[in-house]
Amino acid sequence: MNQINQKMSNEILPTLNTHQAQLKNEIAKRRTFAIISHPDAGKTTLTEKLLLYSGMIRTAGMVRGRKSGKFAVSDWMGMEQERGISITASAMQFEYQNIIINVLDTPGHQDFSEDTYRTLTAADSAVMVIDAAKGVEAQTRKLFEVCHLRKIPVLTFINKMDLPSRDPLDLLSEVEQVLQIQSSPLNWPIGSGQQFKGVVDLISEQCMVFEKSVAGGAKPALIQNFSLQDEKLKKLLSFQELNQLQQEMRLLKEAGNPFRQDLFLRGEITPVFFGSALTNFGLEPFFDAFIHLAPPPGIRLARTLDGQEIQVHPVNNSFSAYVFKLQTNMNPHHCDSMAFLRICSGRFEKDLIVKHIRLNRQMRLSQPSSLIARERNSLLEAFPGDIIGVMNSGLFQIGDTVLTDAVFEFPPLPQFQPEVFAVVRPIEISKRKSFDKGLELLILEGTVQLLKRLDDLEIYVAAVGSLQFDVLKFRLKHEFGVEIDIQLLPFKCSAWLIGDPNSFQKPSQSLVVKDFKNRLIVLFSNPWEKDYAQSKNPHHQLLDMII
Ligand code: G4P
């Protein structure tokens, strides 16, 4: 009997090990990240150049632009094209130097939605793009805070060095002061503006000097490498420029923060790179460093159904994933609804039968696809770190966990304080039914939030950014045939109220309502009123974010 067992395990074990080894290998090859930036810092251009350098596209210049009227591959919604902005967070997968890159596209326009925040939960790292002339701007700061909260590693790319820029040392100290993170430059610009010639790798002390491509950035830039001591540098720079570069290098050696991978992985230090996404200067060194520094998918925390925290290991645990985004009508030719899942552990195969934890039922994940913007590629297998889109016949909600063997749930996705509020009605009363149906769907997708007065007599819609109302209007019209009237309410911020509502001293202009889970939320006419309410009610908590 023992011999039979021995023989069986000899036969089975190698197969198991081969599977595990393949899984390990696939995971090690993956980098799943999001780009965070303020509008116009260059996120779309950088994403496009990543596609260029990976060979996914042969020529750059498809970046959607207000002038050119062309669109980036990641802008797929009709409205995004109309307005020249990227509204929904989509995902793209491609290979760069044998590494499989999953880029989560976080919208970069002025207003942003909860989608953006939720997308960041699916990322293992983030690239923060900063405009070299503007420094750390408002939206970058908001998005960075979410990364910081999740302790995800952030790499910084200081862009537009080909234009007149602020002093690089100044930019570093702004990153440190405003974002409260240490910065560690891994390369340093050689000149700036028209004189931006290249970068010095601060570890190898190699200069990388770029040649402007005739095609204006449509093709990768040619690089010349030489050491910092090489006479060639003297020919490239004026005496003054060379002097300044040498001084900065000395200063960085003496006073700069040395890079530490462990601090980076804990989100305590950010490696900084300089370049110009438009002219392709500094991109190759940045992309190459990115694939070495950014972590592959790792352990994720979850809870068993009796509330115990557990670690989900990407290799050791069988398949598990969670829904971070829902989207309907992505393809106008087929009326469809997709749920986007981030795989956290195990291997996914087409038609996999999984357990839907919230509904406590088995289901088949049908029509899985990976996304290259609007073009969907049907998928036979996928691994931790990958984002898959599956058909949603109404069974999925944001935050749902699906898995094969064990029973646990990934933490619910946080909700963020809405900042715009409105009463919304169909213009034609006969469209009420379609209006209700559409609104319900868009609330489920997280496009807008639903709030109710405490006496239940009126409902309000709320959003993190007012652009979400435009999306609501556009989608109700195009997908449900309903024109709506939106009356904005005079509130500018809000907070969930924790504590006894009866003893809460409410500022006179504010309003207490409830959200769709019947949690109390206070709407304030301005941020000052909110601070005042907190100071008046020290025994109550006013939360910007809730889980
Ligand atoms: P975003 O996604 O972060 O909003 O920014 P996007 O890449 O769309 O870039 C915003 C503008 O900045 C674009 O110009 C783009 O060409 C330009 N840009 C991006 N990176 C660089 C850079 O490194 N150097 C310079 N000089 N410009 C850069 P636009 O005129 O608004 O649009 P377009 O017609 O050029 O597309």
Side-chain angles (χ1 to χ4, degrees):
M1 193 64 186
N2 267 346
Q3 272 172 344
I4 296 174
N5 278 345
Q6 187 60 47
K7 185 170 182 296
M8 271 175 65
S9 65
N10 282 348
E11 278 165 9
I12 292 167
L13 269 179
T15 344
L16 262 183
N17 290 340
T18 322
H19 275 179
Q20 285 220 327
Q22 190 211 4
L23 192 55
K24 237 181 177 161
N25 190 28
E26 291 292 342
I27 292 167
K29 275 200 317 208
R30 277 167 168 73
R31 302 288 180 274
T32 302
F33 75 104
I35 303 184
I36 57 172
S37 67
H38 194 81
D40 276 350
K43 179 178 70 75
T44 316
T45 314
L46 191 71
T47 311
E48 194 194 32
K49 293 304 170 70
L50 195 46
L51 294 176
L52 176 74
Y53 276 82
S54 67
M56 284 285 293
I57 53 175
R58 264 175 287 154
T59 338
M62 286 291 290
V63 174
R64 50 85 192 131
R66 291 149 284 277
K67 291 176 207 142
S68 61
K70 292 176 184 166
F71 308 110
V73 228
S74 55
D75 290 350
W76 45 260
M77 246 178 93
M79 199 176 128
E80 288 171 55
Q81 297 187 351
E82 270 181 21
R83 301 185 53 144
I85 46 177
S86 156
I87 293 171
T88 32
S90 51
M92 277 195 281
Q93 186 181 69
F94 53 89
E95 224 174 293
Y96 177 77
Q97 305 213 352
N98 297 326
I99 294 289
I100 295 174
I101 307 271
N102 292 307
V103 191
L104 297 154
D105 189 8
T106 47
H109 49 76
Q110 219 80 40
D111 293 319
F112 56 174
S113 62
E114 298 213 62
D115 228 21
T116 316
Y117 290 127
R118 292 197 197 107
T119 295
L120 287 175
T121 70
D124 297 319
S125 61
V127 166
M128 172 164 72
V129 180
I130 290 178
D131 183 325
K134 297 188 175 147
V136 180
E137 295 173 88
Q139 189 150 319
T140 313
R141 204 167 56 221
K142 276 193 185 181
L143 290 165
F144 177 84
E145 273 164 22
V146 181
C147 296
H148 196 56
L149 215 73
R150 289 199 51 234
K151 296 190 168 37
I152 65 172
V154 177
L155 295 98
T156 302
F157 184 75
I158 300 199
N159 190 30
K160 304 200 186 181
M161 288 301 297
D162 59 306
L163 294 178
S165 314
R166 281 172 50 186
D167 176 40
L169 287 168
D170 230 33
L171 288 165
L172 292 189
S173 77
E174 185 169 289
V175 165
E176 299 206 341
Q177 275 167 21
V178 176
L179 304 177
Q180 295 289 304
I181 186 170
Q182 288 184 55
S183 69
S184 171
L186 292 192
N187 65 29
W188 199 250
I190 306 177
S192 74
Q194 296 239 333
Q195 302 309 316
F196 180 47
K197 308 263 171 42
V199 293
V200 186
D201 181 318
L202 293 181
I203 300 192
S204 65
E205 298 211 334
Q206 281 281 306
C207 296
M208 280 170 258
V209 171
F210 306 98
E211 276 173 36
K212 262 201 183 107
S213 86
V214 267
K219 302 278 180 202
L222 294 173
I223 305 182
Q224 251 195 74
N225 283 300
F226 48 83
S227 89
L228 197 56
Q229 283 72 36
D230 201 302
E231 291 294 311
K232 282 184 197 151
L233 197 59
K234 285 189 188 148
K235 289 190 189 133
L236 270 178
L237 300 179
S238 67
F239 177 74
Q240 227 180 356
E241 285 170 339
L242 188 63
N243 215 359
Q244 185 182 344
L245 180 66
Q246 284 167 344
Q247 263 184 23
E248 287 169 345
M249 302 292 288
R250 268 198 300 276
L251 196 71
L252 287 170
K253 247 190 189 156
E254 282 161 21
N257 296 317
F259 178 72
R260 274 183 47 192
Q261 180 77 357
D262 57 334
L263 295 184
F264 162 65
L265 292 179
R266 292 208 300 266
E268 292 173 23
I269 196 167
T270 177
V272 181
F273 302 82
F274 292 84
S276 154
L278 192 70
T279 59
N280 302 341
F281 282 25
L283 295 191
E284 216 166 317
F286 173 62
F287 295 152
D288 291 352
F290 168 79
I291 55 173
H292 287 110
L293 299 178
I299 286 169
R300 293 227 160 200
L301 294 180
R303 276 185 192 280
T304 58
L305 297 192
D306 55 14
Q308 276 186 42
E309 194 163 89
I310 55 161
Q311 293 192 335
V312 179
H313 191 282
V315 180
N316 300 347
N317 280 82
S318 53
F319 174 81
S320 71
Y322 71 93
V323 177
F324 69 96
K325 175 181 164 68
L326 296 176
Q327 177 85 52
T328 33
N329 300 334
M330 288 183 54
N331 183 338
H333 303 299
H334 346 116
C335 198
D336 56 1
S337 169
M338 310 235 355
F340 292 94
L341 291 105
R342 146 86 201 213
I343 302 179
C344 299
S345 63
R347 176 200 177 98
F348 170 83
E349 281 164 32
K350 186 172 178 291
D351 286 332
L352 188 72
I353 307 270
V354 295
K355 195 182 289 167
H356 185 310
I357 297 292
R358 181 176 54 82
L359 299 180
N360 189 21
R361 59 173 277 186
Q362 301 274 341
M363 66 188 298
R364 186 186 300 272
L365 292 182
S366 56
Q367 297 195 24
S369 56
S370 68
L371 267 197
I372 297 183
R374 200 174 215 172
E375 289 165 31
R376 265 187 238 155
N377 300 339
S378 66
L379 194 86
L380 297 177
E381 58 175 8
F383 299 92
D386 289 348
I387 308 299
I388 52 168
V390 295
M391 290 307 288
N392 177 23
S393 49
L395 297 178
F396 286 119
Q397 284 180 13
I398 286 164
D400 279 346
T401 299
V402 291
L403 38 71
T404 43
D405 290 339
V407 179
F408 58 78
E409 267 184 307
F410 290 105
L413 299 193
Q415 247 189 303
F416 295 88
Q417 53 144 335
E419 291 177 10
V420 282
F421 310 86
V423 176
V424 179
R425 292 193 187 88
I427 290 175
E428 287 174 58
I429 202 74
S430 60
K431 295 279 171 79
R432 184 87 222 180
K433 238 181 165 170
S434 310
F435 169 79
D436 287 345
K437 190 174 156 211
L439 187 62
E440 187 187 335
L441 202 115
L442 294 173
I443 286 168
L444 265 183
E445 276 185 23
T447 306
V448 286
Q449 296 181 32
L450 181 78
L451 302 176
K452 270 189 198 168
R453 259 176 40 178
L454 295 183
D455 57 13
D456 284 328
L457 285 181
E458 193 158 40
I459 61 161
Y460 305 127
V461 292
V464 173
S466 68
L467 196 76
Q468 284 171 265
F469 286 169
D470 294 349
V471 175
L472 179 75
K473 198 168 183 166
F474 181 91
R475 294 192 56 191
L476 282 175
K477 181 173 165 200
H478 286 81
E479 294 163 29
F480 299 91
V482 186
E483 300 258 18
I484 55 166
D485 174 43
I486 298 179
Q487 276 176 29
L488 288 179
L489 296 169
F491 303 108
K492 296 275 181 292
C493 58
S494 61
W496 279 272
L497 175 65
I498 309 294
D500 180 3
N502 298 320
S503 59
F504 179 67
Q505 293 185 48
K506 186 182 86 61
S508 60
Q509 306 291 314
S510 64
L511 181 69
V512 181
V513 294
K514 52 190 177 181
D515 70 5
F516 72 106
K517 285 191 178 165
N518 285 326
R519 295 172 299 206
L520 294 178
I521 178 162
V522 194
L523 316 188
F524 297 102
S525 54
N526 56 52
W528 176 85
E529 198 181 46
K530 182 169 155 184
D531 294 343
Y532 176 75
Q534 184 64 83
S535 67
K536 277 274 170 209
N537 297 277
H539 301 300
H540 290 77
Q541 264 182 297
L542 288 170
L543 303 180
D544 288 348
M545 188 189 87
I546 201 159
I547 294 196

